[in-house]
Amino acid sequence: MSIKQYIQNNQEKFLNELFDLLRIPSVSADPKFKNDVFKAADFVKESLEKAGADHVELCQTAGYPIVYGEKIIDPSLPTILVYGHYDVQPADPYELWDSPPFEPVIKKTARHPQGAIFARGSADDKGQFYMHVKAFEAMMANNAMPCNVKFMIEGEEEVGSANLDIFVKQNKEKLKADVVVVSDTHMISLEDPSVTVGLRGLAYMEVEVTGPNRDLHSGTFGGAVANPINILCKMIASLQDENNHITIPGFYDKVEEYSKSYREDLNKAPFDLDAYKKELDISEVHGESGYSTIERVGIRPTLDVNGIWGGYTGEGAKTVLPSKAHAKISMRLVPNQNHKEIAKLFEDHFKSIAPNSVKVKVTPHHGGAAAVVSTETPGYRAADLAIQEAFGKKAIPTREGGSIPICALFQQELGLDPILLGFGLDTDALHSPNEHYGIKNYLMGIETIALFFKHFKNEGNK
Ligand code: BES
Ligand code: MN
Ligand code: MN
């Protein structure tokens, strides 16, 4: 039987198994789901064992375990390291989901006319890393493993991968491979398949602005005492100028300016601005002057408020001048921007712009480096060949705005450029209510991954 045939014959089974995994609410950010995160790790371990992996183990960490498993067919063959994550983002706000987030259902959408699986984690990243488990099963069942494989599936990606960082540094020999593949990104579409060659980094901050020592009557004191929410809004607004350029001194010092031809190439990728606006229900896009939407997301750093709170937000009106105001602010970074340096620049600047009428506290959360990978590697060539064989088209290299900080670590610690072979679409609502993943994307992904193994055997041996 061919691998393609095996995938076709097992469609139903592959979907049902993924559904079982999606039913486990493995939210790493919320301790309430602790048992479920461990349960998901067990599920991954068992599925690797069933597919035929050896030495499958839960590698304990200070947090959630890393699932490791391998199949060494022949030490002289190239080895592929597969990375993914079994943890998911919180599903809140639940009321905005059309169906419960941990009860997967199939529904058709404009971009998924053949149906998509709706569930938290369907695209990020359960549906995507599970393609690797199923491609491995298909190759094993057909006695057609072209390369060795090592799996490393973690449970803390959505909270910064702090323990994976330590694990990778301590287990370089165990993780030794010729390439690392990650399916945790988007592609342009099934018609225009792409491979991600760049991800942004991240610096995530929390700020607290304190005015008076207690909430005050906004009539008695309003106008005479600083309102920390008003002040916070002004401070945040000043972080970008009229060109949507970030005003933090030194912020752009290490940002690379790309050549005209590089930017032209980047902008050649198919991108329908009208469809983009329509899908988001916006009349105009917004961003740094002088850059296209593709560039704003792919090669430029940004600053966004992720949440802002304080004062009275309940029913009706309560007249109050609050004591405190808070915000969570993230900055997406590009290569060479160090997230710790940027966090420090942010903190110094944010404190410097605060008026004397308030006190400011700045707390950095997790962060990570951007990563750009070469298209001139055996891994990229194998990915391109696999895509050509599965989709009948060359892969378009794209740079994406999201972050997988561990990718820079793979480059630094293992000396490997990760191959970002993702099959999600940017409309799949990652981290949002109604996250979904196309059934066709799932099945084509499994097929393409098996083809990647086939082509890497040649490319990786050259
Ligand atoms: N899979 C995403 C990253 C991603 C999504 C890359 C889409 C490219 C396209 C990953 O799970 C994620 O959400 N990363 C976080 C950062 C992390 C440190 C919490 C992110 O990008 O916000
Ligand atoms: Mn992910
Ligand atoms: Mn994510």
Side-chain angles (χ1 to χ4, degrees):
M1 202 189 331
S2 70
I3 303 275
K4 200 171 168 168
Q5 191 64 54
Y6 184 90
I7 297 168
Q8 237 160 41
N9 295 354
N10 286 279
Q11 268 191 36
E12 204 75 0
K13 178 179 101 89
F14 285 3
L15 281 170
N16 287 333
E17 289 171 357
L18 175 58
F19 275 36
D20 286 340
L21 174 58
L22 292 170
R23 285 190 189 100
I24 308 171
S26 48
V27 179
S28 52
D30 186 345
K32 205 167 75 216
F33 295 99
K34 196 170 166 194
N35 289 338
D36 294 297
V37 186
F38 282 106
K39 235 168 94 181
D42 285 331
F43 184 102
V44 178
K45 176 171 181 276
E46 274 167 40
S47 61
L48 281 173
E49 278 165 349
K50 273 193 226 150
D54 297 326
H55 311 299
V56 187
E57 55 178 323
L58 293 182
C59 304
Q60 300 306 332
T61 70
Y64 292 119
I66 294 157
V67 189
Y68 178 85
E70 62 180 35
K71 188 77 201 178
I72 309 297
I73 298 286
D74 174 351
S76 69
L77 287 170
T79 300
I80 297 173
L81 174 65
V82 175
Y83 163 79
H85 63 93
Y86 62 81
D87 64 320
V88 301
Q89 282 277 318
D92 317 73
Y94 279 69
E95 66 279 10
L96 295 183
W97 284 76
D98 296 330
S99 56
F102 299 106
E103 295 173 28
V105 288
I106 294 174
K107 278 181 278 187
K108 290 186 177 153
T109 74
R111 293 202 72 192
H112 296 292
Q114 304 183 32
I117 307 154
F118 281 75
R120 170 56 84 233
S122 55
D124 185 10
D125 176 40
K126 288 172 171 172
Q128 294 224 62
F129 87 74
Y130 204 64
M131 299 183 304
H132 287 267
V133 183
K134 294 299 103 178
F136 171 59
E137 175 188 320
M139 291 184 284
M140 286 296 287
N142 288 280
N143 234 320
M145 271 292 282
C147 297
N148 303 312
V149 65
K150 293 177 176 177
F151 288 93
M152 178 173 67
I153 313 296
E154 71 153 320
E156 297 184 306
E157 196 277 343
E158 299 292 7
V159 289
S161 302
N163 292 302
L164 187 78
D165 199 283
I166 301 166
F167 182 81
V168 169
K169 286 177 180 151
Q170 289 177 346
N171 290 280
K172 288 193 201 178
E173 198 48 44
K174 186 188 184 95
L175 300 173
K176 205 166 180 277
D178 299 286
V179 71
V180 37
V181 202
V182 183
S183 295
D184 192 23
T185 50
H186 294 137
M187 70 191 326
I188 298 172
S189 67
L190 291 169
E191 292 71 42
D192 291 302
S194 56
V195 171
T196 304
V197 294
L199 292 166
R200 287 193 287 189
L202 180 70
Y204 200 111
M205 318 297 294
E206 183 162 338
V207 299
E208 181 188 83
V209 177
T210 305
N213 59 3
R214 59 191 161 91
D215 286 3
L216 303 174
H217 189 290
S218 68
T220 313
F221 293 95
V225 175
N227 179 324
I229 301 183
N230 293 20
I231 302 279
L232 175 61
C233 290
K234 272 196 191 173
M235 289 170 73
I236 289 171
S238 79
L239 296 176
Q240 276 149 333
D241 68 15
E242 65 282 6
N243 293 313
N244 294 314
H245 219 68
I246 294 157
T247 55
I248 300 169
F251 185 83
Y252 290 97
D253 282 2
K254 295 186 176 169
V255 173
E256 190 178 345
E257 295 292 339
Y258 289 92
S259 68
K260 204 164 157 261
S261 72
Y262 184 86
R263 291 177 60 183
E264 275 169 10
D265 280 350
L266 210 60
N267 284 305
K268 276 187 201 143
F271 177 70
D272 183 341
L273 186 61
D274 285 327
Y276 184 86
K277 291 194 284 195
K278 194 160 171 250
E279 204 265 330
L280 298 173
D281 209 357
I282 53 175
S283 343
E284 209 34 87
V285 289
H286 175 100
E288 192 180 354
S289 304
Y291 294 92
S292 70
T293 298
I294 287 184
E295 292 171 331
R296 285 170 179 170
V297 171
I299 59 168
R300 299 298 295 169
T302 58
L303 182 148
D304 277 289
V305 180
N306 296 249
I308 182 161
W309 69 101
Y312 183 69
T313 56
E315 283 292 307
K318 175 190 175 192
T319 46
V320 60
L321 194 163
S323 163
K324 282 182 191 295
H326 309 256
K328 292 190 194 268
I329 299 171
S330 70
M331 290 162 282
R332 294 284 167 173
L333 311 176
V334 294
N336 303 328
Q337 281 185 301
N338 176 297
H339 76 93
K340 288 193 179 133
E341 260 171 50
I342 293 291
K344 181 80 174 70
L345 291 178
F346 176 96
E347 180 172 350
D348 291 349
H349 177 66
F350 206 72
K351 285 182 173 159
S352 80
I353 59 173
N356 285 333
S357 51
V358 296
K359 294 182 208 67
V360 169
K361 200 167 110 191
V362 178
T363 316
H365 284 276
H366 59 237
V372 170
V373 306
S374 166
T375 52
E376 310 287 322
T377 61
Y380 188 87
R381 282 194 294 276
D384 188 22
L385 289 169
I387 285 196
Q388 286 183 45
E389 196 172 334
F391 293 86
K393 273 191 180 176
K394 252 188 106 52
I396 301 165
T398 57
R399 290 188 57 170
E400 285 205 80
S403 310
I404 310 177
I406 210 69
C407 288
L409 193 83
F410 290 144
Q411 293 179 314
Q412 194 190 298
E413 297 297 324
L414 306 178
L416 299 173
D417 261 4
I419 304 304
L420 301 162
L421 191 56
F423 296 88
L425 302 184
D426 65 0
T427 47
D428 285 349
L430 274 62
H431 296 199
S432 273
N434 302 313
E435 176 180 351
H436 55 279
Y437 188 41
I439 293 178
K440 185 151 186 218
N441 300 64
Y442 179 58
L443 297 170
M444 288 291 284
I446 299 172
E447 187 185 328
T448 310
I449 288 164
L451 290 167
F452 174 80
F453 273 67
K454 183 181 96 176
H455 289 292
F456 193 71
K457 180 181 177 174
N458 298 327
E459 295 302 320
N461 257 337
K462 273 183 188 163

